[in-house]
Amino acid sequence: MSELALAQGELWRSLRGRTQARIGLGRAGSALPTRHRLELQAAHAAARDAVHSPFEPDRVAAGLPGLPTVRVRSAAGDRLTYLQRPDLGRRLDATDRAHLPAGEWDVVFVVADGLSSRAVHEHAATVVTETVTRLPGWRIAPVVLAEQARVALGDAVAAAMGAAMVVVLIGERPGMSAADSLGAYLTYRPVPGATTDADRNCLSNIRPPLGLSYEGAAGKLAGLMGRARELGATGVGLKDESDALPA
C-alpha cells in the first residue's frame, strides 16, 4: 500500500473518531465492506426495537424517589394505532383525564414514551430529578407518565391539572446513529388544539456521553423555565442565551 493510501486511511480513521456519521467507509467492489454493512443492519434493528419496545412506567417511577407519579394513556389504544394515527397520540384518554389531580401548579413534567421507550427508560428520570433540584420554591405537580403519547398530549395534561407550564420529556425518532435520544419540550400556558410547535422550546439529543448531558439539559431547561415565567411566553419569543458569548 502506498504512503498516500496509508495517510488517507489514517485521516479517515481520525475523522470517524470525531463523529457518529458514517464517513470514509470504503468499499468492497461496488458495495460496502462486510463489517460496515453489518454495523448498518444492527443500527437499523436497534432503531426498530426502540420504536416498538413497550413503555415501562414502573421503571421510570423507580428513578423518581420522593416525586409522586400518575399514569395516563393517549386515545391510541395500541402501538400500531399510535404509529398510524398521530392525532390520537395527542389526545388524552377521557377516563385518565378524570383521574388527574387538579391544583395551582407552576409546572407539570410529562414523561412520554414517544418513538423511543429506550430513551425514556435510560434518561428521563435523571433529567427530571436534576431539573427539579434547580427549581426551589416552584409548585411542582405529580410527574405524569404517559403511554402512546405525542408531545401535544402535554397540553391536555397541563390544562386538566391547572399547571401554568408543561415540560414533556419524550423519546425522539430513532436514527441510524442514535436510538436513545431524549427530547424536552417546554410550553407556557398551553391550549389543547390551539398551541403549535412555534409556541414551544425544545432541547434535543439528550443522551450522555454522546449527546447533551443531564446537567447541561437540566440547567438549560431550568433557565428557560425561569425566563418563560418572567416573559409569560415560550416558543419563538423565548431564546436560550445560556451559551451566548459575552458582549
Side-chain angles (χ1 to χ4, degrees), residues 6-37:
L6 287 172
Q8 289 176 336
E10 183 59 35
L11 173 62
W12 282 119
R13 279 192 293 273
S14 175
L15 291 174
R16 285 197 297 271
R18 290 167 168 77
T19 178
Q20 289 185 277
R22 291 177 171 82
I23 59 174
L25 302 183
R27 65 181 183 178
S30 60
L32 281 174
T34 300
R35 176 169 66 89
H36 295 305
R37 182 175 177 81

Side-chain angles (χ1 to χ4, degrees), residues 76 78-89 115 150:
D78 53 55
R79 197 61 176 171
L80 181 59
T81 303
Y82 171 81
L83 294 173
Q84 294 178 338
R85 292 285 305 276
D87 59 310
L88 296 181
L115 291 171
R150 304 277 177 173

